[in-house]
Amino acid sequence: MTRTYAEFRRQRERGEIRCLQVVQEFLHRIESRRNLNAFITVTAEAALQAAEESDARFDAGAPRPLEGCVVAVKDNISTRGARTTCASRILENFVPVYDATAVERLRAAGAIIVGKTNLDEFAMGSSTEYSAFGPAHNPHNPDYVPGGSSGGSAVAVAAELCHVALGSDTGGSVRQPAAFCAVIGFKPSYGRISRYGLVAFASSLDQIGVFAHTVEDVASVLDVISGYDVHDATSLPEPPTQSRKVIEEPLVEELRLGVLPEDVLRDCHDEVYACYHRCLKALRAAGVHFTTVTLPYSHLWVPTYYIIATAEASSNLARYDGIRYGLRVPIGEGDDVITATRTAGFGAEVKRRIMMGTYVLSAGYYDAYYRKAQKARRLIAEAYAQSFASVHALLLPTSPIPPFRLGERMEDPIAMYLADYFTVSANLAGIPAISLPAGWTADGLPIGLQLQAPYGADARLLRYARSCLRVWQQNTNSSGPI
Ligand code: GLN
């Protein structure tokens, strides 16, 4: 069986394989890899039915753009008729009555949804350990975390339980697990993909993103799910991307990449640092130009992110009150249903975020924290815009550390937050970014590197990513589609 949708499609068009057979095989693999805890819900019956329809479309010679593409969807993205839990007790039995726009567009293009994947509760975390359904495990070593919060989607692609997967990225939750699992993870420009039906965590940072084995597959999915959506006032008023075409075009000029000054990289884990320099050297040898860019506010990335993200989360999560939908805890005389439901329904990390967010928004501290964070955010975005005046994209690590052991960072939330050092700034600036598999630690754990591009340059970023991957693959003598 092939790992990528593009290769499957070629085989299906030649009549060498059938969609039904592929879906059955994926379902079988999902069962045999249950230990990874990648899925919260598997929608086997609906997937088998959709596969039959896809086969009929191929047989009739009228396949749609993603016909037969098997997709796993993070369980904070709304799926009509299939429960959407956000890995929280508070939504444990919640079944949406509508599809997220991204899901609706996938289905309309012939994609097959195979199930809903595990995550940190409400996408808050960097390891998929904060899930009410238990942690997901790294397929390259199950004693290690797969990253998070979209850990289940990264595992599903890495362990070949689907062709591609959707995740959400508020501060790195697509890119960081992609790096930890050795797959590609793409976060588009803010507004490129509709957020309608993505359960809100921090609305000004949230974006749906894509996991795949190849840039080509990422592009195929992006071209289907991007584009203006009347249901999301923050979606870009532009037609869907044509990135499949753009990634095939030759680069008109030599690629110019920006690198961060050594002092910003110095705190990285040794093996991440070594991998970064190895990849940089290979690109330089292949003719890529490098310029050191100074991003003067990098020390503010993490604190700014955690103020804005928690502030927005505390507001967004106010809707879970035990009254309108989701969990409702039975109470005794004189008890308060809202408090009882939220106390029982939310996990510790979500409660921590709600409390931090409420604090930074409170009348006494708003000016000291929230207002300052908004100013810092503007400076961070402007610094990016300035650096892109001289380079096409920036190359930086995805995570300062390789995958860590399950449990290792659970007792220390600050250590967990620092794992997001290189990812949160792209969300603060709204720019597109992609994590690419770049190497392995001596223990056989994956390391990813990240490219970040100017706002709106999503298709071009995919083009650059493909060039870099080509060089790295030539260097490691590995072959395979990119
Ligand atoms: N790890 C970050 C956090 O915990 C990012 C989460 C995300 O991107 N959803 O907030």
Side-chain angles (χ1 to χ4, degrees), residues 74 76 120 122-127 148-150 168-174 201 206 305-306 309 349 353 416-417 420 423-424 427:
K74 187 177 182 180
N76 63 347
D120 287 296
F122 284 103
M124 297 173 189
S126 310
S127 66
S149 66
S150 315
S168 68
D169 193 311
T170 302
S173 280
V174 166
F201 160 12
D206 295 340
Y305 169 79
Y306 275 96
E349 180 61 21
R353 307 270 179 131
M416 192 76 94
Y417 297 168
D420 302 330
T423 48
V424 295
N427 302 73

Side-chain angles (χ1 to χ4, degrees), residues 290-443:
F290 284 95
T291 313
T292 302
V293 297
T294 44
L295 288 174
Y297 303 104
S298 54
H299 60 293
L300 298 179
W301 289 347
V302 171
T304 303
Y305 169 79
Y306 275 96
I307 291 169
I308 292 174
T310 55
E312 294 186 18
S314 71
S315 165
N316 274 324
L317 270 61
R319 72 190 67 173
Y320 306 104
D321 53 11
I323 292 165
R324 284 167 291 188
Y325 50 80
L327 180 73
R328 182 196 189 102
V329 171
I331 50 162
E333 188 82 18
D335 285 341
D336 160 13
V337 70
I338 298 179
T339 308
T341 299
R342 287 167 70 86
T343 302
F346 287 138
E349 180 61 21
V350 173
K351 286 176 183 160
R352 183 156 41 231
R353 307 270 179 131
I354 292 172
M355 286 192 290
M356 284 202 302
T358 310
Y359 180 81
V360 299
L361 287 175
S362 62
Y365 294 97
Y366 184 93
D367 285 334
Y369 294 105
Y370 187 71
R371 192 187 299 280
K372 264 201 194 141
Q374 292 290 15
K375 290 180 179 170
R377 182 179 191 175
R378 167 62 65 91
L379 293 173
I380 291 165
E382 283 173 359
Y384 264 112
Q386 256 168 33
S387 72
F388 286 129
S390 56
V391 296
H392 294 114
L394 299 183
L395 176 71
L396 59 170
T398 305
S399 162
I401 46 168
F404 44 92
R405 280 184 185 276
L406 278 145
E408 196 180 295
R409 286 179 179 234
M410 288 292 271
E411 298 312 316
D412 185 355
I414 303 284
M416 192 76 94
Y417 297 168
L418 288 174
D420 302 330
Y421 181 62
F422 290 113
T423 48
V424 295
S425 51
N427 302 73
L428 289 167
I431 59 175
I434 188 166
S435 178
L436 306 170
W440 299 86
T441 68
D443 292 339

Side-chain angles (χ1 to χ4, degrees), residues 24 51 108 123 157 161 195 237 251 259 270 272 283 354 430 448 453 475:
Q24 280 166 341
V157 172
L161 313 178
R195 289 184 297 113
L251 290 177
V259 292
D270 287 349
V272 173
L283 291 173
I354 292 172
N475 253 263

Side-chain angles (χ1 to χ4, degrees), residues 448-480:
L449 295 183
Q450 188 185 187
L451 287 174
Q452 300 182 337
Y455 184 76
D458 302 67
R460 269 197 288 135
L461 174 62
L462 296 184
R463 176 73 193 84
Y464 305 148
R466 216 177 188 203
S467 305
C468 292
L469 276 176
R470 279 219 171 105
V471 172
W472 297 338
Q473 287 190 351
Q474 274 160 11
N475 253 263
T476 52
N477 288 325
S478 65
S479 58

Side-chain angles (χ1 to χ4, degrees), residues 139 170 173 194 198 288 381 400:
T170 302
S173 280
S194 167
L198 167 64
V288 176

